[in-house]
Amino acid sequence: MILIIDFGSQYNQLIARRVRENHVYCLIEPPTITVAAIRRLNPEGIILSGGPSSIYEKDSPKIHPAVFKLGIPVLGICYGMQFMMSALGGTVRRAGRREYGFAELRIKRQSGIFQDIPKKTQCWMSHGDSIQRLPRGFTLMGSTENTAMAAAAHPGKRLLGVQFHPEVAHTPQGMKILRNFLFGICGCKRSWSMKSFARQTIQDIRQTVADKKVILGLSGGVDSSVTAMLLHQSIHKQLTCIFVDNGLLRKNEADKLKVTLKQHLNINIRFVNAAARFLKALKNITDPEKKRKIIGRIFMDVFEAEAKKIKGAEYLAQGTLYPDVIESVSAFGGPTSIIKSHHNVGGLPGKMKLKLIEPLRYLFKDEVRLLGKELGLPAELIWRQPFPGPGLAVRVLGEIKHKRLRILRDVDDVLLEEIKNAGYYNKLWQSFAVLLPLKSVGVMGDQRTYENIVAIRAVTSKDAMTADWAKLPHKLLGKISNRIINEVDGVNRVVYDISSKPPSTIEWE
Ligand code: XMP
């Protein structure tokens, strides 16, 4: 296992990805982690990430320098290197010239992390401070034109630092440099795989839960389905899933999901139809935040009432993912991590006095999909695009009425069919329709129409934090627009949303 210390770099998740791509397990922790906790984790190596601070700023993040005396190899990247050098007696100063972007790295010693790396290679720099003097025992390993001390090592103590970012694709030899660290220096084994993760997690769940009962809110999305599958394979009949139909799902979705979930997840699921209750509470509500709050509150009430019927339940399982966990831990914050609850079930564990189990909390989305595959989930569940908890309520802008939901469902159905037929469904993060609270004039046959406008939103993204509008072929967009206007009563105009996130968001409300 590799421990990554997060000094606030925008790239720290990328470091974790690179390590895991090499089949080595890793964790990201804030610098406030204690040396005793590191000893308990017993990592094969430690990576200190970059970060936006200057080490001579008063409140810059620091890890206890005893970390360098544990006998565990440490690789410092950018700020991580500067911190290491400064903590061990070197000097760091504001650089005469800042260095951002590509630089040519001239390697002085082709050994250690630079084993088999060409003497001259490109690297990616992003720093305003530089190392002026190395601590005793360190040797210079490489330089760039603007940075004399771009890489250094203390081979005896297995302490290494690079000023550039090996984790980004702009450093072409970066992956090889990281591999040299993982395998050459730390002696890691390529043992992290979804198979081993699944086996270990199933064992852990069995140990934690013992003979107690577990409840899970199942939405049919990939995260909750994979969580259900993991729990089912661990504790079988002790698991009960609750599926709440809030009346805000897509066309025939509740019925289709019922069949798919029953067929593929041979588990105990309670389906609760609370559509009428949700729609009644949403009557006359147009404010997006009010809609979300109402839906959240009713969901909790419905879920709690159903959960109470399951006598003796002690645990609530959630499909929280690693990016949520990381985002909720500040690089400069305390050692306790505040877990961001799912939008759908926020607040439930506390209210219901249940203990939480989050078996996916160390996985990224694409790893969850791999895990789903490993556990035998069908492709149609693994590759479902994300769907927001408040459902179509945040896609019918303005007031939510039966008729408006019907229009949006029909539009969405045509859109998804075309996106799937064109082979785009799995390539897009999301593709959906939004019903605007506006009408526009059109002409159909020889008649004037005054009807609804729908917007099509299709985005590519890795993690929903940022997203780009999808450059779908004009021919496909034309066909979608044509079919929607011809087939869905009440729509006479289709527009395509060409905004990215940020500054827009993926959903319109
Ligand atoms: P935004 O609109 O914030 O959405 O760019 C980012 C991602 O989150 C989804 N989303 C939600 N998911 N409950 C959820 O489970 C919610 O309340 C919610 N709101 C947005 C959205 O579909 C996108 O994938």
Side-chain angles (χ1 to χ4, degrees):
M1 194 266 271
I2 292 288
L3 176 64
I4 298 164
I5 301 297
D6 172 15
F7 281 132
S9 166
Q10 53 179 320
Y11 299 131
N12 65 44
Q13 289 197 30
L14 207 50
I15 304 175
R17 293 310 321 265
R18 296 284 173 262
V19 173
R20 290 193 187 179
E21 274 163 19
N22 281 295
H23 302 281
V24 175
Y25 186 53
C26 65
L27 283 181
I28 303 179
E29 292 289 337
T32 43
I33 186 171
T34 61
V35 173
I38 297 180
R39 268 208 201 93
R40 277 198 299 278
L41 285 172
N42 193 22
E44 259 90 36
I46 298 172
I47 298 179
L48 307 180
S49 86
S53 313
S54 268
I55 62 117
Y56 48 74
E57 278 168 14
K58 203 169 107 259
D59 295 326
S60 59
K62 297 176 180 65
I63 185 163
H64 198 289
V67 72
F68 301 117
K69 292 191 177 149
L70 293 171
I72 301 172
V74 184
L75 170 65
I77 296 176
C78 196
Y79 175 88
M81 175 191 196
Q82 294 164 6
F83 174 79
M84 178 193 289
M85 298 304 150
S86 155
L88 295 173
T91 333
V92 178
R93 294 245 169 80
R94 177 134 304 271
R97 283 167 69 178
R98 294 187 309 171
E99 199 177 24
Y100 290 97
F102 287 114
E104 187 182 72
L105 178 69
R106 278 163 265 153
I107 292 177
K108 305 250 183 281
R109 288 165 199 263
Q110 287 168 294
S111 60
I113 49 170
F114 293 151
Q115 185 80 44
D116 298 328
I117 306 287
K119 272 200 151 263
K120 283 186 181 171
T121 180
Q122 215 175 43
C123 69
W124 182 258
M125 288 288 196
S126 173
H127 65 115
D129 290 353
S130 286
I131 292 144
Q132 301 291 310
R133 191 170 50 83
L134 294 176
R136 203 135 45 99
F138 275 80
T139 14
L140 185 63
M141 299 285 287
S143 312
T144 66
E145 196 181 331
N146 290 335
T147 308
M149 296 177 191
H154 190 309
K157 293 189 176 157
R158 299 189 298 171
L159 302 177
L160 313 111
V162 289
Q163 184 58 70
F164 60 90
H165 289 270
E167 70 276 24
V168 304
H170 301 303
T171 302
Q173 296 289 326
M175 191 63 149
K176 207 159 165 190
I177 293 170
L178 284 175
R179 264 190 222 133
N180 283 338
F181 177 67
L182 298 177
F183 304 113
I185 293 166
C186 302
C188 292
K189 297 210 169 59
R190 294 172 174 272
S191 57
W192 157 257
S193 67
M194 276 308 145
K195 207 189 224 27
S196 64
F197 177 84
R199 205 183 315 123
Q200 183 63 45
T201 309
I202 287 173
Q203 255 178 34
D204 291 350
I205 293 173
R206 278 187 192 141
Q207 227 168 35
T208 309
V209 172
D211 57 351
K212 303 289 185 289
K213 285 188 188 165
V214 182
I215 302 175
L216 169 74
L218 193 61
S219 69
V222 59
D223 305 342
S224 66
S225 301
V226 171
T227 308
M229 199 69 168
L230 256 182
L231 283 157
H232 177 65
Q233 296 190 7
S234 314
I235 51 162
H236 316 286
K237 298 237 172 307
Q238 289 157 251
L239 170 71
T240 307
C241 297
I242 299 175
F243 179 95
V244 176
D245 179 354
N246 57 10
L248 300 163
L249 303 174
R250 280 172 289 206
K251 192 170 181 175
N252 303 329
E253 192 169 23
D255 290 338
K256 276 195 246 165
L257 271 174
K258 254 187 202 176
V259 174
T260 315
L261 292 173
K262 279 248 179 241
Q263 191 180 347
H264 296 288
L265 304 182
N266 180 23
I267 47 182
N268 184 8
I269 309 176
R270 290 170 177 240
F271 290 93
V272 187
N273 187 345
R277 205 170 149 189
F278 279 90
L279 296 182
K280 189 166 166 227
L282 288 167
K283 205 167 169 357
N284 296 325
I285 306 293
T286 54
D287 179 76
E289 271 315 292
K290 278 194 188 142
K291 284 183 188 173
R292 281 176 173 271
K293 290 223 168 80
I294 291 170
I295 293 166
R297 178 172 50 75
I298 298 184
F299 180 86
M300 279 219 258
D301 289 350
V302 172
F303 190 91
E304 196 187 357
E306 195 61 30
K308 271 193 183 143
K309 296 181 194 163
I310 302 158
K311 295 284 169 251
E314 279 202 16
Y315 289 92
L316 178 78
Q318 285 190 357
T320 314
L321 302 193
Y322 204 25
D324 299 334
V325 177
I326 299 170
E327 271 161 33
S328 62
V329 188
S330 145
F332 315 100
T336 44
S337 55
I338 313 139
I339 308 307
K340 217 199 276 175
S341 306
H342 265 197
H343 308 251
N344 305 11
V345 282
L348 270 174
K351 199 172 168 206
M352 295 171 55
K353 304 207 168 43
L354 293 171
K355 289 177 244 167
L356 253 190
I357 317 181
E358 297 174 312
L360 309 183
R361 73 193 302 265
Y362 292 119
L363 298 186
F364 294 98
K365 188 90 177 180
D366 53 345
E367 291 174 329
V368 172
R369 292 196 157 120
L370 282 178
L371 178 60
K373 204 166 158 210
E374 184 64 45
L375 295 170
L377 271 188
E380 62 178 297
L381 279 178
I382 294 175
W383 290 104
R384 275 169 68 86
Q385 290 179 356
F387 186 69
L392 300 184
V394 290
R395 295 181 181 170
V396 169
L397 309 195
E399 198 190 338
I400 298 149
K401 292 183 178 156
H402 282 288
K403 184 172 171 210
R404 295 179 66 71
L405 279 172
R406 196 268 304 152
I407 292 175
L408 184 60
R409 283 198 177 105
D410 287 348
V411 169
D412 194 72
D413 198 47
V414 172
L415 171 71
L416 280 186
E417 190 179 311
E418 287 302 328
I419 291 282
K420 280 181 182 164
N421 286 346
Y424 274 91
Y425 185 80
N426 291 356
K427 292 184 195 152
L428 297 172
W429 175 265
Q430 271 169 303
S431 45
F432 57 88
V434 180
L435 182 63
L436 308 195
L438 292 172
K439 288 193 168 186
S440 79
V441 173
V443 52
M444 279 187 193
D446 289 330
Q447 297 286 327
R448 173 190 191 269
T449 59
Y450 187 56
E451 299 281 19
N452 290 290
I453 311 170
V454 291
I456 304 297
R457 181 82 164 133
V459 295
T460 52
S461 175
K462 281 212 171 325
D463 48 20
M465 300 293 294
T466 59
D468 197 9
W469 60 278
K471 315 295 182 292
L472 293 179
H474 290 176
K475 205 170 157 196
L476 174 62
L477 287 170
K479 191 169 179 206
I480 291 170
S481 160
N482 218 344
R483 274 198 62 195
I484 290 173
I485 295 177
N486 281 333
E487 294 175 31
V488 184
D489 256 1
V491 177
N492 70 356
R493 192 174 296 271
V494 175
V495 296
Y496 190 50
D497 180 350
I498 52 167
S499 24
S500 308
K501 174 182 179 177
S504 302
T505 51
I506 296 177
E507 303 290 345
W508 279 41
E509 282 193 342

